[in-house]
Amino acid sequence: MKILFAALLISAPFVTSAAAPVDPIVPGKDYHSYADPSAFRVRHLELDLTASFEDQRLSGVADLTVTRISPDANKLVLDTRDLVIRQAWWVKSRSDLVPVRFTVGARDAMLGSPLSIDLPAEAKASELVIRISYQTRPEASGLQWVPAQLTADKTHPFLFTQSQAIHARSWIPLQDSPQVRMTFDATIRVPAGMRAVMGAESVTNPLELVPDGVFRFRMPQAIPSYLVALGVGKLEFRATGPRTGVYAESSIVEAAAKEFSDTEQMMEVSEKLFGAYRWGRYDLLILPPSFPFGGMENPRLSFITPTVIAGDKSLTSLIAHELAHSWSGNLVTNATWRDLWLNEGFTVYLQNRIMLAVYGERRAAMEEALDLQIVRRELETNPPSDQILAIDLRGRDPDDAFTQIPYIKGALFVSWLGSRFGVENVDRFLQEYFDHFQFQSIATEQFRAYLEAKLLPQKAGAVTQAELDEWMLAPGLPKYAVLPTSDAFDKVDGLRTDWLSGKLAAAQLPGKDWTTHEWVHFIDGLPKKVPANQLTEIDEAFALTNAGNSEIAFSWLRVAIANEYSPAWPRLENYLTTIGRRKLIKPLYEDLMKTPAGAERARAIYAKARANYHPIATTTLDATVHKASKR
Ligand code: BES
Ligand code: ZN
C-alpha cells in the first residue's frame, strides 16, 4: 500500500499571535536541514577519522556516495556546523581525484552552515563519490571531550558523540536529516591503549585491544544521520547474554553488567511482541556522568548514563526504552523532528509493554503512574501550541523544544487505542506497522493514513475521526484518555497524609520496604511547603539528602530548594557538579531561580559546574541561569 501525503497541507493549529500569519506546515518537509534530498541523496558514508584528545579534534576524510535524484542537479548541499573543511574532490575513480569548488555559507546559530559543492560538468553519473577532507573544532556541539578526572576510572579521557537531533553535522559533513538513510564503513584511529566503539558492527575483534589503536566498523543497515555514534575511552566489555553486553570503564563494568543483566530477557520479550530484532547485537555503552541524556538509542549500542546504575535495577526502564527504539525509531523513523512523537511516544508504549512482561504488573503500573504525573506537570507549564503531538518546530532548536509531551501523551494515545481495539490487536498492528515501514522515515500523516487503513476497519466505530483529531491536533489530554493507576501509590498517598497531619511519625512509615518508585511518588506528592521540623524528621529517618539513587535524590532536592532546607546544600552542589544529565539538573536550576537567594546559589554552582557539562546542556542552562540573573 502506498500512502500519499506530500500534497496534504495542514495549518499550524492554535497560533496565538494574530500579527504574524504562519505558512502552513508541509508534512514531511525537514525545516532543520539545508540539504535537498530531492536533488541528491547520500546512500553510503565512508569515514576515516583520527581522534586527538590533545587538540580535541576529529580529523580525516569522509567519502559520501550520493545518488542523483533530480537529473539536472549539479550542486550538492550538505549540513555542517563549525567544521573546518580543508578540501573536496569528486572521486572519478580510485586513482583519479578531481578537486571540486565548494563554499561554506553563513553560520546560523541553530542550523550551522550549508556546505555547497559544485559538481564538475563531467560528473554526470547517477551515482557519485565525493571526498571531503575536514576536521572538527573543540566546541563541536555533538562531541564531548571529557577529561580523565571526570570519568569513572580517572585515568584516561573519554570522547562520545551525541548526534540527535541535529548534531551529526558538527562532526561529519552530511545530509543531516532523519529522512536520509545511509550505510557506512568507518576507520577510527585512537591513542594506543584506548578503545573505539560505534553503533555498528565491529570488523576488528571487539574483545581484543587493538595495539595500533585502529578500529574498523561496518554498518550494513541504512540509518539516519542522527544515529551515527562513536565513543572512545579506556573501555572493557562484559557479556550479559548471547547477544547483549556492556562496555564500560573498568571500575564500573561489573556493576553495570549486574544492573543490566535483564537486557537479554528484554530483547526476547520485545521480539515476541514486535517482531525480529534486525540489528545483530545489542550492547550498552556506559558514559561518563556528563552525558546530557538518560540514554540514546544508537543502533546496536545504546549510550547510557551511569546515573541509572542504582544497585537494585530500579531504573532499568531506561534500557527497555532505548532497546524499544530498535523498532520505534531506528527501524521506522520520524521524517522530521515535528514527527518525533512517532519515535518517542511509541517507544514509551513499547517500553511499558516490556517492563510489564519482565517485572510484572505492580512495577509497570507505578512507572506509568509516575509518567502521568510528569506529563500533567508539563501540560500545565507549556503553551497550548507545545502540547500538540506533532509540534510545530519551525525556527526552533529541537533540543530546546522537546518536552515529555510527545513521549507520554504519545504513549497514552497508543494505550487508548489498546482500550478500544484490545491490547493484543494494537501490539499486532504495531508489529505490522514496523514491518511495513521498516528502514523508512515517515510523517505523522502517513502514520494516520496507515492507522485508518489497517487498524480502524478491525472494529468499525471503535474510535471516531474527531477523537483522532483531538489526540493528534489538540492541546492537553482528551477527557476519555485511559489513565494508569497504581494501588501501591494509593497506599503511599494515605501514609503521606497521615504523616503530614501528625498521625504517624516518620519512623512509623514503611519506607525501608519502599521501592524507588514509591519513594519518588511519596516525595513528589508532598505539598509545596513542608514544615522544617518534618523535613528534618524524615531526612533523619531515611537519609534522603544522602540518597544514592539519582531519581530519589532529584525529587528530594526539589523539595529542599522549595523549602530552603539548608542541610541539603552540600548535596545539591555535589549533585549538580557531578551529574550532567539535563533532565535531572535543569529543573533544579529552574527551581533555584525562583528566589533571589536561590538564584545566587544557582549562579555560584553553575560557575563551578559549567565546564563539566556537555554543550547540549550548557546551551539550555545558559539561558536558564542567565535569564534569572537579569531579574
Ligand atoms: N532519543 C532520546 C534522547 C533524545 C531525544 C536526544 C531527543 C535528543 C533529542 C532517548 O531515547 C530518550 O528518550 N531518553 C530519555 C529516557 C527515556 C526513558 C524517557 C532520557 O534521556 O531521559
Ligand atoms: Zn527515546
Side-chain angles (χ1 to χ4, degrees), residues 423-503:
V423 176
E424 263 126 58
N425 290 332
V426 167
D427 287 349
R428 197 170 328 112
F429 161 76
L430 286 174
Q431 178 166 346
E432 285 166 11
Y433 160 78
F434 297 138
D435 287 346
H436 183 83
F437 289 107
Q438 63 174 315
F439 298 108
Q440 295 178 43
S441 304
I442 70 163
T444 299
E445 290 68 19
Q446 277 169 296
F447 166 72
R448 177 150 176 180
Y450 187 82
L451 178 79
E452 291 179 8
K454 296 288 182 176
L455 185 65
L456 270 48
Q458 287 183 25
K459 198 170 164 194
V463 302
T464 66
Q465 288 295 328
E467 287 172 327
L468 292 180
D469 283 342
E470 184 176 7
W471 273 107
M472 293 194 197
L473 303 170
L477 282 182
K479 282 198 191 60
Y480 45 84
V482 182
L483 303 178
T485 55
S486 152
D487 297 345
F489 282 178
D490 293 343
K491 282 200 192 106
V492 171
D493 289 337
L495 290 163
R496 192 197 306 101
T497 306
D498 288 349
W499 172 65
L500 284 166
S501 68
K503 242 195 201 161

Side-chain angles (χ1 to χ4, degrees), residues 80 83 149 201 210 393 397 536:
T80 71
L83 291 181
Q149 71 269 21
E201 217 174 272
V210 180
L393 288 176
D397 186 338
T536 310

Side-chain angles (χ1 to χ4, degrees), residues 20-281:
V22 180
D23 291 338
I25 292 175
V26 180
K29 178 176 160 59
D30 186 355
Y31 292 94
H32 292 95
S33 170
Y34 290 111
D36 177 5
S38 70
F40 290 98
R41 266 178 184 268
V42 176
R43 293 287 185 209
H44 181 74
L45 164 71
E46 202 165 324
L47 277 180
D48 188 329
L49 294 176
T50 301
S52 164
F53 283 90
E54 268 157 40
D55 301 337
Q56 304 200 333
R57 280 185 200 284
L58 293 172
S59 170
V61 294
D63 280 6
L64 303 177
T65 305
V66 299
T67 302
R68 196 190 302 265
I69 305 292
S70 156
D72 35 74
N74 57 9
K75 193 189 273 291
L76 171 66
V77 181
L78 302 174
D79 292 295
T80 71
R81 182 189 291 126
D82 302 329
L83 291 181
V84 180
I85 307 293
R86 295 185 292 230
Q87 251 184 298
W89 300 268
W90 167 40
V91 183
K92 192 174 173 186
S93 71
R94 269 178 168 267
S95 56
D96 194 358
L97 297 187
V98 180
V100 291
R101 285 183 15 168
F102 64 88
T103 52
V104 178
R107 183 186 193 277
D108 177 273
M110 184 175 76
L111 300 177
S113 313
L115 166 62
S116 308
I117 297 175
D118 293 324
L119 299 177
E122 207 198 327
K124 286 247 172 296
S126 60
E127 191 134 293
L128 305 167
V129 179
I130 300 298
R131 173 165 301 174
I132 299 165
S133 162
Y134 73 100
Q135 63 187 35
T136 62
R137 288 191 208 271
E139 65 271 22
S141 62
L143 301 177
Q144 194 180 20
W145 300 88
V146 182
Q149 71 269 21
L150 300 177
T151 65
D153 289 0
K154 304 188 170 33
T155 58
H156 290 71
F158 204 119
L159 163 68
F160 65 86
T161 64
Q162 169 57 41
S163 296
Q164 196 182 15
I166 53 172
H167 300 286
R169 65 190 66 179
S170 76
W171 66 285
I172 312 172
L174 38 57
Q175 291 180 310
D176 196 8
S177 171
Q179 52 197 265
V180 177
R181 285 173 176 269
M182 66 208 164
T183 51
F184 72 79
D185 291 295
T187 302
I188 306 291
R189 301 161 199 275
V190 304
M194 298 186 78
R195 180 191 291 284
V197 289
M198 288 192 88
E201 217 174 272
S202 280
V203 177
T204 18
N205 185 339
L207 297 182
E208 273 168 26
L209 207 56
V210 180
D212 62 358
V214 182
F215 293 82
R216 290 179 210 282
F217 304 93
R218 180 176 158 262
M219 188 63 193
Q221 291 94 359
I223 55 162
S225 55
Y226 80 86
L227 292 176
V228 182
L230 166 69
V232 181
K234 179 81 178 144
L235 295 169
E236 293 193 10
F237 176 80
R238 289 287 180 280
T240 53
R243 287 186 294 177
T244 57
V246 294
Y247 289 94
E249 292 178 79
S250 106
S251 61
I252 55 170
V253 72
E254 294 298 345
K258 258 193 169 162
E259 194 82 22
F260 306 130
S261 62
D262 298 331
T263 310
E264 194 79 33
Q265 194 194 339
M266 289 182 177
M267 268 184 101
E268 285 160 15
V269 162
S270 315
E271 288 196 293
K272 247 188 227 136
L273 288 170
F274 304 111
Y277 180 77
R278 320 291 211 279
W279 311 89
R281 294 192 54 83

Side-chain angles (χ1 to χ4, degrees), residues 297 321-322 325 344 347 407:
E297 66 272 25
H321 179 95
E322 304 312 337
H325 273 304
E344 296 297 350
T347 294
Y407 286 75

Side-chain angles (χ1 to χ4, degrees), residues 141-146 150-151 158-164 229-231 285-298 301-308 318 322 578-585 612-618:
S141 62
L143 301 177
Q144 194 180 20
W145 300 88
V146 182
L150 300 177
T151 65
F158 204 119
L159 163 68
F160 65 86
T161 64
Q162 169 57 41
S163 296
Q164 196 182 15
L230 166 69
L285 172 64
I286 312 303
L287 295 171
S290 62
F291 181 51
F293 296 107
M296 177 64 213
E297 66 272 25
N298 297 316
L301 182 68
S302 286
F303 284 20
I304 301 294
T305 173
T307 63
V308 291
L318 175 78
E322 304 312 337
T578 54
I579 294 180
R581 182 177 173 190
R582 201 171 57 175
K583 189 191 95 171
L584 295 181
I585 59 175
N612 305 352
Y613 293 152
H614 189 284
I616 289 175
T618 52

Side-chain angles (χ1 to χ4, degrees), residues 279-393:
W279 311 89
R281 294 192 54 83
Y282 181 69
D283 294 317
L284 306 174
L285 172 64
I286 312 303
L287 295 171
S290 62
F291 181 51
F293 296 107
M296 177 64 213
E297 66 272 25
N298 297 316
R300 291 165 193 254
L301 182 68
S302 286
F303 284 20
I304 301 294
T305 173
T307 63
V308 291
I309 306 178
D312 59 1
K313 299 188 178 182
S314 60
L315 304 177
T316 53
S317 61
L318 175 78
I319 309 301
H321 179 95
E322 304 312 337
L323 170 67
H325 273 304
S326 307
W327 289 264
S328 44
N330 300 6
L331 201 54
V332 182
T333 306
N334 47 222
T336 77
W337 297 114
R338 164 182 178 255
D339 309 302
L340 182 81
W341 76 278
L342 297 178
N343 266 18
E344 296 297 350
F346 290 30
T347 294
V348 172
Y349 174 81
L350 266 59
Q351 164 198 333
N352 292 337
R353 302 289 294 134
I354 297 168
M355 293 306 287
L356 176 66
V358 176
Y359 298 96
E361 171 72 34
R362 187 173 191 272
R363 172 163 171 182
M366 288 195 287
E367 292 186 345
E368 288 187 49
L370 283 176
D371 268 357
L372 178 63
Q373 294 307 319
I374 294 171
V375 80
R376 283 220 163 105
R377 260 175 268 144
E378 293 261 34
L379 290 167
E380 274 165 22
T381 51
N382 279 278
S385 55
D386 286 355
Q387 299 176 15
I388 291 160
L389 286 179
I391 182 177
D392 182 2
L393 288 176

